[in-house]
């Protein structure tokens, strides 16, 4: 039973990671990266590493996508400001 759960979660990780690479829009990539972080946290929990899972949940599914979204927003805002000045 445990092997089947691990196999299913590994397939979810593979599918989510492939989706994160295939998506071209940076905002959507950040959202898919957040989902990937949650799936990896589930994988770590299934593999009996709950401390690593909690760290992954905090950093991989919350902090990193948030920083990416803020960076994309700032870059796009600066690009719009430079277009207006020209």
């Amino acid at each position: 039973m445990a092997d089947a759960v691990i196999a299913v979660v590994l397939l979810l990780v593979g599918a989510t990671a492939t989706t994160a690479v295939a998506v071209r829009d940076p905002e959507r990539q950040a959202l898919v990266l957040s989902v990937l972080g949650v799936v990896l946290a589930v994988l770590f929990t299934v593999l009996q590493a709950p401390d690593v899972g909690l760290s992954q949940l905090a950093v991989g599914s919350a902090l990193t996508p948030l920083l990416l979204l803020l960076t994309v927003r700032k870059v796009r805002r600066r690009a719009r400001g430079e277009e207006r000045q020209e």
Side-chain angles (χ1 to χ4, degrees):
M1 178 67 179
D3 291 338
V5 173
I6 292 172
V8 168
V9 176
L10 281 173
L11 287 173
L12 283 172
V13 168
T16 310
T18 303
T19 304
V21 171
V23 172
R24 301 296 294 166
D25 182 36
E27 292 173 348
R28 289 186 181 175
Q29 278 181 339
L31 294 175
V32 174
L33 184 64
S34 178
V35 173
L36 177 61
V38 171
V39 174
L40 282 171
V42 170
L43 175 66
F44 293 140
T45 304
V46 168
L47 293 175
Q48 299 179 356
D51 52 343
V52 179
L54 284 173
S55 298
Q56 175 63 31
L57 193 62
V59 175
S61 65
L63 189 63
T64 303
L66 177 65
L67 289 174
L68 286 172
L69 284 173
L70 291 173
T71 303
V72 168
R73 181 178 175 196
K74 189 167 190 169
V75 167
R76 287 185 178 170
R77 188 180 293 172
R78 282 191 180 175
R80 280 189 223 140
E82 290 176 3
E83 289 175 4
R84 289 181 188 162
Q85 290 177 356
E86 291 178 358

